[in-house]
Amino acid sequence: MTVADSSPEFLLDRPKPAAPDDVTDGVAPGRGRPTAGRVWRWSKRRADLLIVAVYVVTAVWVTGRLWVDPAGRVAPALQSDPSLMQWFLAHAVRVVTHGENPLFTERMNVPDGVNLMANTPMLGLSLPMVPVTMLFGPAVAFVTLVTLMLSGTAAAWYFVLSRHLVSSRAAAAVGGWFCGFCPAMLAHANWHPNIIGQVLVPFIVWRVLVLCRPGARPVRDGLILAALVVYQAFINEEILLFTALACAVFLLAYVLQRRELWAPAWRRLLGGLAVCAVVAGALLAYPLYVQFAGPQNYQGIQVAHFGNDLAAFTSFGTPTLGGNELANQNLAPNPSEENSFFGWPLVLLLVVLTVWLWRDAVVRALAFSALFFALLSLGSVVSYQGREIGPGPWALFVHLPLLHFVVPTRFGMIASTLVGVILAVATDRVLSRRAAGVPGVSRRAWALALAMALVPLIPVALPARARPAVPDFVTSGTWRSYVAEGQTVVPVPVTENGNADGLRWAAATRLDMSVPRGYFLGPSNGQDGDVAAFGAPPSQGAGLLARVAVSGVPADVDDRQRRLFIDDLRYWNAAIVVLPVRHLQAPALRRTVEDLLGPGQRVDDVWVWDVREIATPRRTETIR
């Protein structure tokens, strides 16, 4: 019998091990101690608890530098993303305490607002975190969420692998560890808890495969799948789309090898998916309407060039033991998108595994799927060491419905998860000696090979640096005496990509403070249906202050710039303009704002310009 013949049908009939790999305490029954059977079950539970504890400790180690001072430390790059995530956490509090619209907000980008459903507000994560956010603040809630999502994703994959794919808990532990702490997950951990929040993904995959097996109940199983799909949609829709694509590609690759399985399975599968589509579609109909047709919607993201460099696959991720930040600088679009950094030892091991287990239909399907998504992650243009070498396969798919919203480099995350499953399957084959028809591998040899591939990928603590504290003027509530309901506070520099501290100010007030502009995805020209851009349309006043914040050189202000800035303040319905005294470029920014508005007033630890008189909206047409 070949391995392909003995492969578990649709990966759900977990094989029994040839010899138990769980360890009992060796106590014989009948001596006042638990029976062997009871000891066996308790040993498995202890193994589960120990493995999950290792995942939790690893996640705490990875986020340790942020835990030192959650409010005062942040990743060295892309500091706007954590600020936005903290704003989302504060928004969830406001949804619960004030009943505000969870899908749209008028407290950022005043007066136009932000379509939150089109900005992954991670309501599936932020709402359960409301008690933590209310008790300890959004900064602590952010670090807590990152820690839970890293360890939770690893534990979820361990559970599904150990119960439904492999017979060895050790094999499942290897697969779960890689799925939770692979370089792609670590790369996003400092910035995107909604992307690393993949706790439901293995369960979605499991329930899809359940629909293929004999005895499946399309209605019941379709309802369970629908519940998981709806919840994942409120965590991150992109990851949900990736999960659907991965299931489709894997099932196609598997069934093409074992066509005899399709005939008895297709009715159950399509029936369950139909139930899921109807129920999930009904529950998500209004949120999706808001996202795609509501105010401030956009159509597509211009990131087709955001692909992986070929050299990335054999390089080690920056937040790993073997990583080199300088060597990786040109191999990913930015530090948060190191989605395919496997390192050459793991790539070599994967090639060897594919050859060794080639007769296994499961491994062939997994390997093909991983390669397919790795190729898509190259983007529309393939590059090597930063040099373009030709068109990429993503160009064939980028214009398909929904796919024009996808960042192609993130297909590497699908490949990473599939690699974790391959490692689990291969480890199980070695430990249970089920690799029939292929050369045997000793456990010591496999342990050595696995160590050589994975030790360089051991996570290191994520980098962090100090960031400015939220001003006392904000945290003490002094700002409230200047600002009426409907009016805004204008931070200097104005809140946008690269200058998103204003979002942390607002989050610290539980969004009682509203801010103009912001860091978000919205229509590039402010017209519904435009291609997406990061932030509000260009503003003369905001752009002027942003340039001063970068250069440290005061701007030469003329009368036209003064009029344009005042028009901006009127459009934003501003009450006060606020510059922190401790801002790195405070002298240059203060001089520029004084040239625009006149002298400011020192209040607590900020300079304040009261603009309520000059920024009162008028009926005259403003210059935009």
Side-chain angles (χ1 to χ4, degrees):
M1 179 181 293
T2 65
V3 175
D5 293 331
S6 64
S7 296
E9 186 171 347
F10 286 104
L11 306 185
L12 287 169
D13 298 324
R14 185 181 60 172
K16 300 299 182 182
D21 63 354
D22 296 281
V23 179
T24 67
D25 59 9
V27 177
R31 295 188 180 179
R33 300 285 298 278
T35 64
R38 292 173 62 186
V39 173
W40 175 272
R41 289 192 295 272
W42 169 240
S43 178
K44 288 183 177 181
R45 288 196 295 270
R46 285 192 297 179
D48 291 342
L49 292 173
L50 176 61
I51 290 167
V52 172
V54 170
Y55 293 157
V56 172
V57 170
T58 304
V60 172
W61 157 252
V62 167
T63 56
R65 291 174 179 169
L66 296 176
W67 276 113
V68 171
D69 183 7
R73 309 198 78 179
V74 69
L78 306 175
Q79 297 183 21
S80 296
D81 291 76
S83 298
L84 177 61
M85 296 300 152
Q86 292 181 33
W87 191 96
F88 285 154
L89 288 162
H91 170 69
V93 172
R94 199 162 189 93
V95 168
V96 172
T97 58
H98 291 70
E100 291 202 356
N101 188 346
L103 308 180
F104 189 88
T105 183
E106 295 179 345
R107 296 190 172 274
M108 189 199 310
N109 193 36
V110 177
D112 300 315
V114 175
N115 188 325
L116 294 179
M117 193 61 198
N119 278 269
T120 61
M122 59 177 188
L123 292 168
L125 301 179
S126 60
L127 288 173
M129 291 296 295
V130 163
V132 177
T133 307
M134 293 183 69
L135 288 173
F136 304 104
V140 172
F142 172 80
V143 183
T144 302
L145 192 57
V146 171
T147 305
L148 290 176
M149 291 303 100
L150 286 172
S151 56
T153 299
W157 274 109
Y158 166 75
F159 178 88
V160 171
L161 289 171
S162 63
R163 270 63 175 179
H164 304 288
L165 176 59
V166 298
S167 58
S168 164
R169 275 170 163 71
V174 170
W177 182 87
F178 192 85
C179 290
F181 299 101
C182 63
M185 292 285 285
L186 298 175
H188 287 278
N190 246 336
W191 299 282
H192 305 138
N194 55 330
I195 292 178
I196 65 172
Q198 300 180 27
V199 176
L200 296 183
V201 169
F203 296 99
I204 293 174
V205 174
W206 168 35
R207 300 313 301 183
V208 169
L209 297 178
V210 161
L211 288 169
C212 301
R213 70 180 181 183
R217 299 178 182 177
V219 174
R220 181 202 63 182
D221 295 329
L223 289 173
I224 295 173
L225 181 60
L228 293 169
V229 165
V230 170
Y231 202 102
Q232 179 60 44
F234 286 107
I235 296 176
N236 187 281
E237 291 173 297
E238 188 176 33
I239 295 299
L240 178 60
L241 176 61
F242 285 166
T243 305
L245 292 174
C247 289
V249 171
F250 170 78
L251 285 175
L252 180 62
Y254 189 65
V255 169
L256 286 177
Q257 300 174 77
R258 303 194 61 187
R259 299 181 184 179
E260 73 278 5
L261 297 178
W262 179 242
W266 72 269
R267 288 185 178 87
R268 296 188 296 266
L269 176 62
L270 296 185
L273 292 180
V275 171
C276 174
V278 170
V279 175
L283 294 174
L284 293 173
Y286 179 70
L288 292 178
Y289 169 79
V290 172
Q291 177 176 350
F292 293 108
Q296 292 293 296
N297 75 82
Y298 57 85
Q299 299 299 318
I301 306 175
Q302 293 180 336
V303 291
H305 62 289
F306 265 39
N308 297 322
D309 193 287
L310 273 173
F313 292 101
T314 55
S315 301
F316 301 108
T318 298
T320 64
L321 198 61
N324 186 320
E325 182 178 2
L326 294 177
N328 292 344
Q329 279 184 349
N330 297 320
L331 303 183
N334 60 56
S336 73
E337 299 292 351
E338 291 188 1
N339 296 303
S340 295
F341 285 67
F342 299 112
W344 65 264
L346 179 56
V347 171
L348 180 60
L349 179 62
L350 291 172
V351 172
V352 172
L353 285 179
T354 304
V355 174
W356 173 50
L357 296 174
W358 183 249
R359 299 183 66 184
D360 190 322
V362 171
V363 173
R364 285 201 304 268
L366 289 170
F368 170 81
S369 303
L371 179 61
F372 176 78
F373 289 111
L375 291 175
L376 287 186
S377 75
L378 296 174
S380 296
V381 178
V382 179
S383 61
Y384 180 76
Q385 295 287 1
R387 297 187 298 273
E388 295 184 2
I389 60 177
W394 177 238
L396 301 174
F397 301 91
V398 66
H399 298 296
L400 295 177
L402 296 181
L403 294 185
H404 61 299
F405 289 95
V406 170
V407 181
T409 175
R410 294 179 184 172
F411 283 114
M413 300 195 75
I414 306 179
S416 295
T417 299
L418 291 166
V419 167
V421 178
I422 291 172
L423 293 176
V425 172
T427 303
D428 186 59
R429 299 295 193 264
V430 172
L431 295 181
S432 59
R433 293 184 173 90
R434 289 198 314 109
V438 295
V441 176
S442 72
R443 296 187 179 190
R444 290 184 179 179
W446 174 247
L448 178 61
L450 205 59
M452 292 178 63
L454 297 186
V455 166
L457 300 180
I458 290 176
V460 298
L462 294 173
R465 59 175 294 182
R467 64 178 171 185
V470 176
D472 295 338
F473 176 77
V474 174
T475 57
S476 66
T478 306
W479 67 277
R480 298 178 188 273
S481 62
Y482 295 86
V483 183
E485 182 64 31
Q487 293 182 316
T488 66
V489 173
V490 181
V492 178
V494 184
T495 305
E496 56 190 358
N497 187 14
N499 298 308
D501 282 344
L503 297 183
R504 291 194 297 122
W505 298 8
T509 70
R510 296 186 181 177
L511 304 195
D512 288 343
M513 176 189 292
S514 298
V515 294
R517 301 181 65 79
Y519 175 56
F520 58 93
L521 278 171
S524 55
N525 294 314
Q527 301 297 319
D528 293 350
D530 284 344
V531 174
F534 287 97
S539 157
Q540 291 284 345
L544 176 69
L545 295 176
R547 290 191 293 274
V548 175
V550 172
S551 67
V553 178
D556 294 326
V557 176
D558 56 29
D559 288 340
R560 178 177 180 276
Q561 289 171 322
R562 291 188 185 93
R563 290 196 302 271
L564 289 173
F565 188 60
I566 291 174
D567 284 338
D568 280 335
L569 295 177
R570 289 171 179 164
Y571 185 73
W572 300 331
N573 198 18
I576 51 176
V577 177
V578 179
L579 168 65
V581 171
R582 292 190 293 270
H583 192 284
L584 186 62
Q585 306 296 352
L589 287 167
R590 178 188 172 193
R591 177 176 165 182
T592 302
V593 179
E594 287 181 338
D595 286 346
L596 291 167
L597 300 175
Q601 178 186 8
R602 172 75 181 264
V603 181
D604 297 335
D605 53 349
V606 300
W607 291 98
V608 177
W609 287 264
D610 188 336
V611 296
R612 285 174 288 184
E613 291 296 327
I614 63 175
T616 301
R618 302 176 182 177
R619 293 185 178 273
T620 56
E621 182 178 357
T622 60
I623 302 174
R624 297 298 298 161

